[in-house]
Amino acid sequence: MKTTMDFPPELGRIDSVPRSILTTGQTPLEPMPNLTKHCGGAQLFVKRDDCTGLAFGGNKVRQLEFYFGAASAENADTILITGAVQSNFVRMAAAAARKLGMTCHIQLEERVVTEDPRYHVSGNVFVDKLLGATLHSYPHGEDESGADRQLGKLAAGLRDAGHRPYIIHLAPGHPPLGSLGYVVAAHELLQQILEIDLPVDEIFVGSGSGATHAGLLFGLRALGSSIQVTGVCVRRDAISQEVRVRNTCHEIATLLDIESKVTDDDIKLIDSFLAPGYGVTNAATSNAIVIGAQTEALILDPVYSGKAIAGLIHQAKLASDSSTFVFVHTGGTPAIFAYQKDIEEALAISDGSSD
Ligand SMILES: *Cc1c(COP(=O)(O)O)cnc(C)c1O
């Protein structure tokens, strides 16, 4: 399925990149008056990308529109994808595959050490199974190229058996199709901001692969906006992540055949909520998840959106009440069931009160 949309010429050839529409339209931009009051600093708003509308939603739906566009253009019938055991990306790929009449092979990487048995059976894993994806396991969670090579072997086997596989790669070095979803989202968000004349100073977003962060930043700058985008690191430290985001911005420029307006100074990152590492929560994050739920009824996860909102809360408290921040809620809903133990511990400490 190829869809033509009305994008301004500033976004280059994005209209002509194959895209399978999977989102339900615009996600809401909402004020967060209770969290604003809780922090006592910046005026806070949330872009509800947890409501993108496919099997619990999240940011990956926007990214997958372009991967599935490419897969459909190649007439693929089977999608292969790799990710952490509680990956939201693989869950949504399994969902998108069903919607588009394809099958999905998921490779789950052991990246996280945990004592909670729910991690390997509940949350996203359970949804993957419900969607009928074929699950494979990969033991080396830190070897991105190795994970891709293993997918390549699975794809070769499927091809021999008469299928038409399409691989969604994990490691850098492939066209950043997923980022294009966030170039589109930058256009959408900018229109919403202009409609209500919101004087946004800063946007906060989780920065994992960096596809969301880079796409958003690239799109905003291409459209002439100078709003600061702050990525909250959830996968690797700020120094390594900056390289990723910068490279991805260059790759987007190549893909869209336009010049990048992103400067090195534009890439802002906070990594103080990353510890002890990917997929493992910390006290500030667990506490932020409880605050998000009990002020604005937001469901945030310990791996991504919880760490990102911990960054937002920290910065909002330091800012003056004349500044305006937007939090991009990237989803992760099913993961709360896999991390129930951590969240229950935070609840016990907060004693049911967010103050
Ligand atoms: C993957 C993910 C992110 C990070 O997005 P990237 O594009 O990989 O940087 C943030 N939040 C949630 C819920 C995710 O699943």
Side-chain angles (χ1 to χ4, degrees):
M1 191 195 327
K2 188 176 148 188
T3 318
T4 315
M5 308 286 278
D6 282 332
F7 291 112
E10 292 89 324
L11 297 183
R13 55 177 293 269
I14 198 161
D15 274 329
S16 65
V17 183
R19 179 178 174 200
S20 298
I21 297 295
L22 297 165
T23 46
T24 46
Q26 287 199 348
T27 61
L29 175 65
E30 298 172 347
M32 297 196 286
N34 304 326
L35 187 60
T36 299
K37 197 167 154 228
H38 172 91
C39 295
Q43 308 301 310
L44 303 176
F45 290 74
V46 56
K47 173 70 171 158
R48 294 293 305 271
D49 271 13
D50 56 324
C51 301
T52 44
L54 178 73
F56 291 107
N59 63 336
K60 300 311 185 315
V61 180
R62 293 187 189 268
Q63 301 187 14
L64 287 167
E65 288 194 335
F66 287 92
Y67 285 110
F68 276 84
S72 299
E74 284 181 18
N75 199 24
D77 63 6
T78 310
I79 299 295
L80 288 97
I81 188 165
T82 186
V85 171
Q86 284 298 327
S87 164
N88 300 298
F89 201 14
V90 305
R91 176 247 311 165
M92 282 180 261
R98 285 305 182 207
K99 285 284 271 190
L100 298 172
M102 303 180 192
T103 54
C104 186
H105 284 253
I106 292 174
Q107 176 173 273
L108 296 179
E109 306 156 20
E110 296 297 338
R111 282 189 209 167
V112 173
V113 177
T114 169
E115 282 163 20
D116 191 340
R118 277 169 284 210
Y119 182 81
H120 283 92
V121 293
S122 186
N124 281 303
V125 179
F126 178 57
V127 182
D128 298 342
K129 286 186 183 161
L130 181 58
L131 290 164
T134 305
L135 301 185
H136 308 265
S137 179
Y138 187 72
H140 314 297
E142 293 307 320
D143 182 3
E144 295 194 332
S145 310
D148 279 347
R149 271 196 305 278
Q150 189 58 31
L151 278 191
K153 285 183 197 159
L154 287 173
L158 286 162
R159 207 172 287 115
D160 289 345
H163 299 284
R164 299 183 302 277
Y166 178 90
I167 298 177
I168 299 176
H169 293 98
L170 175 65
H174 302 277
L177 292 178
S179 287
L180 298 188
Y182 272 85
V183 174
V184 172
H187 182 244
E188 178 183 312
L189 177 57
L190 212 49
Q191 280 180 331
Q192 289 173 313
I193 287 172
L194 291 174
E195 258 164 40
I196 55 169
D197 206 12
L198 198 65
V200 180
D201 298 292
E202 195 167 340
I203 296 170
F204 288 80
V205 66
S207 201
S209 73
T212 304
H213 182 180
L216 206 52
L217 179 60
F218 186 96
L220 289 172
R221 293 299 177 272
L223 295 164
S225 163
S226 58
I227 298 173
Q228 181 172 324
V229 178
T230 299
V232 183
C233 294
V234 299
R235 182 77 176 99
R236 58 187 73 75
D237 66 28
I239 293 169
S240 331
Q241 189 66 3
E242 199 209 315
V243 178
R244 287 246 173 177
V245 174
R246 191 182 332 125
N247 290 344
T248 306
C249 287
H250 288 307
E251 290 164 359
I252 299 170
T254 306
L255 195 55
L256 296 182
D257 199 16
I258 48 178
E259 228 168 86
S260 174
K261 299 226 176 87
V262 177
T263 65
D264 286 353
D265 282 350
D266 280 336
I267 303 171
K268 308 273 189 214
L269 289 152
I270 302 177
D271 62 7
S272 32
F273 299 92
L274 173 62
Y278 174 82
V280 186
T281 191
N282 53 53
T285 298
S286 303
N287 192 36
I289 290 170
V290 175
I291 292 168
Q294 297 189 6
T295 56
E296 298 293 343
L298 295 179
I299 304 302
L300 301 145
D301 78 283
V303 186
Y304 298 104
S305 52
K307 287 188 175 176
I309 207 164
L312 172 90
I313 290 171
H314 180 77
Q315 296 301 110
K317 285 180 176 171
L318 299 173
S320 89
D321 62 5
S322 61
S323 45
T324 301
F325 293 174
V326 173
F327 173 66
V328 181
H329 188 340
T330 46
T333 312
I336 66 165
F337 303 105
Y339 285 87
Q340 193 172 328
K341 192 162 168 276
D342 290 334
I343 301 172
E344 277 176 350
E345 278 165 16
L347 272 173
I349 293 165
S350 81
D351 201 22
S353 148
S354 64
D355 310 309

